[in-house]
Amino acid sequence: MTSADQVPFDDRGLAYGDGVFETVLLRDGKPVLWPYHRARLRHGCSVLGIEPPDDTALNACWQAPESALDVLKIILTRGSGGRGYALPENPAPRLLSRRTPFAPAALRWQGVDVCLCALRLARQPALAGIKHLNRLENVLARREWQSEDIAEGLLADTEGNLVEATAMNIFWRAHGAFHTPSLEACGVAGTLRAALLARGDVCVSPLSVDALLSDASVEQLFVGNSIHGLWPVNTLTTPAGEPLRRFSSPPDLSLQTAAHRLLGYLPLSGPLLSGEKRS
């Protein structure tokens, strides 16, 4: 395993997106939901055929002076070499990491507007779920809106199934239960989503774009990840900000409460910001 402050020209992650990454919330110097991050990273390495870093190398990524809240980004590439797309004979994976101070956008815990992106995700089951380095679909989708009033963009696949947001997973409440889309064909399996599934707080269900727009049984919508927590959606818009659908208010925040307890954030009555301590 090698590391570098500057990625060399022939790094396969730079050239081809040949690698995986994790974005981890650090609270008081400790990684939150780490078993889920570690498992996803190792699964991604298995899918791509990259030797995963050992726990000693991973643990070294956050061995630094502690602050109340940081975000740690870990990048693992296959390393350098190989002729074209052919793999190097003796790959030396390259592990890089960086941590930055973080404070959550607590106002968004009270509700946000999101848009429905025009871009459709390609269905590729071989890469579904993993957080690989080639995120061009997400980049193109994020270009679709410029307004700061829009917090996220929702993405469907080429068959019209709702999949994820550009940087978050999707959850909704219908028929008295919380749901999240299947990610068997495409999308990133978020670690907060995995933890909520493991607890039985959500179940996997299909949801088409047509149903999202018109089915009254879809009462509430949320977007969330393991860094920002869960944001209730007030209004679904076009990328230009034209309203498509409004969701019930005030929403049932029980799923948000469960998610924020997993992340160490308190409910809306007392949000835990960076610098504050839990009782």
Side-chain angles (χ1 to χ4, degrees):
M1 196 71 62
T2 63
S3 62
D5 293 329
Q6 183 174 355
V7 176
F9 183 83
D10 63 351
D11 183 86
R12 296 181 63 86
L14 174 63
Y16 309 122
D18 190 2
V20 294
F21 72 103
E22 291 292 327
T23 309
V24 185
L25 183 68
L26 297 181
R27 184 174 295 283
D28 299 324
K30 306 299 182 184
V32 178
L33 297 181
W34 178 242
Y36 295 97
H37 285 286
R38 180 178 178 273
R40 184 175 61 184
L41 186 145
R42 288 185 171 273
H43 174 61
C45 287
S46 176
V47 169
L48 297 181
I50 297 174
E51 179 185 356
D54 60 27
D55 287 340
T56 299
L58 287 175
N59 292 345
C61 293
W62 60 78
Q63 300 304 315
E66 295 182 5
S67 55
L69 218 55
D70 291 306
V71 170
L72 169 72
K73 184 166 185 178
I74 299 171
I75 298 175
L76 179 71
T77 79
R78 197 183 301 272
S80 298
R83 186 175 179 85
Y85 295 128
L87 303 184
E89 291 185 8
N90 298 296
R94 181 171 286 113
L95 179 65
L96 304 102
S97 65
R98 176 176 294 178
R99 57 188 292 171
T100 55
F102 175 72
L107 286 178
R108 291 186 168 181
W109 294 343
Q110 300 176 34
V112 297
D113 293 345
V114 303
C115 70
L116 181 62
C117 293
L119 183 136
R120 292 294 180 259
L121 296 173
R123 293 168 64 86
Q124 176 48 271
L127 296 175
I130 71 172
K131 202 166 185 178
H132 57 73
L133 290 174
N134 189 336
R135 313 261 36 118
L136 287 178
E137 290 176 316
N138 306 69
V139 171
L140 289 175
R142 184 58 186 86
R143 290 180 60 205
E144 293 189 28
W145 79 91
Q146 288 75 45
S147 172
E148 294 184 359
D149 294 332
I150 297 176
E152 250 288 15
L154 306 189
L155 295 168
D157 65 17
T158 52
E159 295 185 2
N161 303 303
L162 198 66
V163 177
E164 62 184 0
T166 64
M168 293 179 157
N169 287 124
I170 297 171
F171 309 89
W172 69 93
R173 188 177 187 276
H175 304 294
F178 290 100
H179 307 260
T180 191
S182 168
L183 302 178
E184 293 183 354
C186 54
V188 175
T191 54
L192 178 59
R193 174 182 180 273
L196 291 171
L197 282 168
R199 284 170 43 95
D201 292 317
V202 298
C203 59
V204 175
S205 304
L207 182 65
S208 68
V209 170
D210 288 343
L212 174 67
L213 293 174
S214 61
D215 189 345
S217 69
V218 181
E219 302 167 342
Q220 298 173 231
L221 187 67
F222 299 83
V223 293
N225 63 26
S226 63
I227 302 298
H228 293 285
L230 225 60
W231 298 342
V233 173
N234 294 328
T235 306
L236 178 65
T237 75
T238 67
E242 300 165 347
L244 294 173
R245 181 177 175 183
R246 290 182 172 85
F247 293 90
S248 63
S249 180
D252 176 352
L253 295 177
S254 59
L255 184 65
Q256 184 189 58
T257 299
H260 286 193
R261 283 175 177 164
L262 287 167
L263 300 177
Y265 298 133
L266 296 180
L268 292 176
S269 59
L272 182 67
L273 304 179
S274 64
E276 295 181 349
K277 296 292 186 180
R278 284 171 292 175
S279 59

